[in-house]
Amino acid sequence: MMKLRSVGIIGTGKYVPERVLTNAELETMVETNDEWIVSRTGIRERHIAAPDQATSDLAYEAAVKALKSAGIAAEDIELIIVATVTPDMTFPSTACILQEKLGAKKAAAFDLSAACSGFVYSLATANGFIQTGMYNNALIIGADALSRITDYTDRNTCVLFGDGAGAVVLGEVPEGRGFLSFDLGAEGAGGELLKLEGGGSRCPASEETIRSGKHFIYMNGREVFKFAVRVMGTATEEVLRKAGKDKSEIDLFVPHQANIRIIQFAMQRLDLPEEKCVINVDKYANTSAASIPLALVEAVEEGRVKEGDTLLLVGFGGGLTWGASVLVW
Ligand SMILES: CC(C)(COP(=O)(O)OP(=O)(O)OC[C@H]1O[C@@H](n2cnc3c(N)ncnc32)[C@H](O)[C@@H]1OP(=O)(O)O)[C@@H](O)C(=O)NCCC(=O)NCCS
């Protein structure tokens, strides 16, 4: 049997736009208050893209840093995947736009749509390509500008989301390091719970789709919450089993940053103390595909990740989808 290569993260970078939208400012926009938002979600502020910044611009900033930290030139990158649900436009893909901006002429490029699970789905995809030798490296970016599809008159959703991008470079690593396991899944039956209907082939953009707000995120928060708590538990157990690791061996837990209460449920189930968990939902809110890489890269930048550490990444999102991975740094 062909020997598979070990694949790991060899460079990281992140970017959030400058503009900060605080809970206090949201209080002036919709009927809400800081106390409600903090107690229900843990969110205090979020970053919002400037009017002239599209998702590829956020992705570009994070990608440049990731390439620099990996010590790889853009023209040597062989594959670019952008995980996003807020592409610059329907097509060309944001990955192609980014390929041109970076000058990554050699790279195959495509977007991957798995909402907030998109980054982990993309890691698994690129891992397969590199493991088998089809490519030697890959640039993976989780980037979203959810502010562009958020209705700032709807208090049920507008307090929850922010914009940002996180990037990693993947390459071959010594045996025993890198990704040990993945667990990806989907429950299409729950697709109605979290969606953006307008502008697709079922419901093309029209005056009517605008009038009825179908160009904005629709979410059934309570049902998504239940799904999230359930799959954060089952996906972490499954991905640990596949990696042959016990929950006590996790050095750093990097969950999707949607809601502090969902993260706390997962930490309890894994018996993890707070110092083993990355939490930055307070600063960035839910940035969709950017959420896990923003948390991971921030932890790396703060010196919280050491060589040989075992990390568990896990996220959930629209689709409905989930994705988890165990890796050794
Ligand atoms: C959205 C969410 C924070 C709501 O929290 P909750 O505890 O479930 O709150 P409820 O749905 O019970 O709503 C309670 C009340 O607060 C109100 N409310 C909603 N948003 C509010 C806001 N921003 N400010 C003040 N009140 C608000 C609701 O209208 C409701 O009022 P009612 O009882 O009079 O109808 C929570 O359901 C959640 O986080 N869900 C998962 C969302 C998620 O992760 N999405 C992304 C997936 S990738």
Side-chain angles (χ1 to χ4, degrees):
M1 209 177 89
M2 182 175 75
K3 184 157 169 17
L4 295 176
R5 293 154 146 186
S6 297
V7 181
I9 295 174
I10 58 171
T12 57
K14 73 176 198 327
Y15 174 76
V16 289
E18 267 173 43
R19 161 100 164 91
V20 174
L21 176 61
T22 61
N23 289 352
E25 197 176 343
L26 277 167
E27 285 179 12
T28 68
M29 296 160 64
V30 287
E31 185 65 39
T32 190
N33 58 77
D34 179 61
E35 196 280 320
W36 191 97
I37 302 172
V38 173
S39 64
R40 298 290 176 126
T41 71
I43 299 165
R44 294 183 185 276
E45 57 189 37
R46 65 288 288 142
H47 290 246
I48 303 293
D52 63 349
Q53 274 182 318
T55 294
S56 70
D57 300 315
L58 311 183
Y60 175 81
E61 299 292 338
V64 167
K65 290 181 195 156
L67 289 170
K68 187 160 179 261
S69 93
I72 293 185
E75 52 270 29
D76 293 326
I77 287 292
E78 298 180 10
L79 172 68
I80 299 175
I81 306 177
V82 176
T84 189
V85 288
T86 50
D88 287 26
M89 55 189 89
T90 303
F91 70 88
S93 69
T94 303
C96 284
I97 296 168
L98 182 65
Q99 187 236 25
E100 163 62 13
K101 277 189 191 167
L102 289 169
K105 288 193 166 31
K106 212 161 71 177
F110 63 90
D111 288 359
L112 192 148
S113 170
C116 306
S117 313
F119 181 73
V120 178
Y121 262 72
S122 299
L123 292 179
T125 306
N127 176 61
F129 280 123
I130 301 173
Q131 259 189 335
T132 52
M134 179 153 168
Y135 296 118
N136 292 303
N137 60 42
L139 172 63
I140 309 302
I141 305 109
D144 266 306
L146 290 184
S147 65
R148 297 296 202 269
I149 55 168
T150 296
D151 179 358
Y152 285 95
T153 66
D154 174 14
R155 69 175 185 175
N156 290 298
T157 53
C158 76
V159 302
L160 303 175
F161 303 122
D163 302 340
V168 296
V169 177
L170 302 190
E172 193 173 358
V173 294
E175 216 176 313
R177 304 276 284 277
F179 298 108
L180 301 186
S181 64
F182 285 98
D183 183 54
L184 307 180
E187 272 181 27
E192 293 295 318
L193 300 176
L194 183 54
K195 63 182 178 182
L196 189 152
E197 269 190 285
S201 58
R202 174 81 54 201
C203 188
S206 68
E207 283 180 22
E208 171 48 27
T209 60
I210 301 287
R211 224 184 348 259
S212 55
K214 289 200 167 77
H215 56 302
F216 290 131
I217 297 171
Y218 164 84
M219 184 179 74
N220 179 333
R222 251 178 240 189
E223 290 304 317
V224 173
F225 192 97
K226 286 190 221 159
F227 166 78
V229 169
R230 171 164 58 85
V231 300
M232 291 285 269
T234 52
T236 51
E237 279 163 16
E238 185 59 12
V239 81
L240 282 168
R241 191 191 61 73
K242 287 181 184 169
K245 294 265 182 192
D246 185 76
K247 60 187 180 181
S248 62
E249 294 174 85
I250 302 171
D251 295 303
L252 198 68
F253 180 52
V254 188
H256 173 41
Q257 309 284 315
N259 182 317
I260 190 73
R261 290 187 293 151
I262 296 171
I263 296 173
Q264 282 162 348
F265 272 113
M267 281 164 57
Q268 276 165 18
R269 191 146 169 175
L270 292 167
D271 289 329
L272 285 181
E274 203 155 296
E275 63 268 19
K276 287 193 173 181
C277 182
V278 186
I279 298 173
N280 61 15
V281 66
D282 51 322
K283 292 189 291 186
Y284 304 129
N286 181 349
T287 55
S288 190
S291 153
I292 290 178
L294 272 180
L296 174 66
V297 177
E298 192 153 281
V300 170
E301 288 174 356
E302 287 171 358
R304 292 179 68 184
V305 188
K306 293 177 293 301
E307 260 186 47
D309 276 357
T310 298
L311 276 61
L312 196 157
L313 319 182
V314 61
F316 57 87
L320 300 169
T321 52
W322 70 87
S325 180
V326 171
L327 67 147
V328 176
W329 198 256

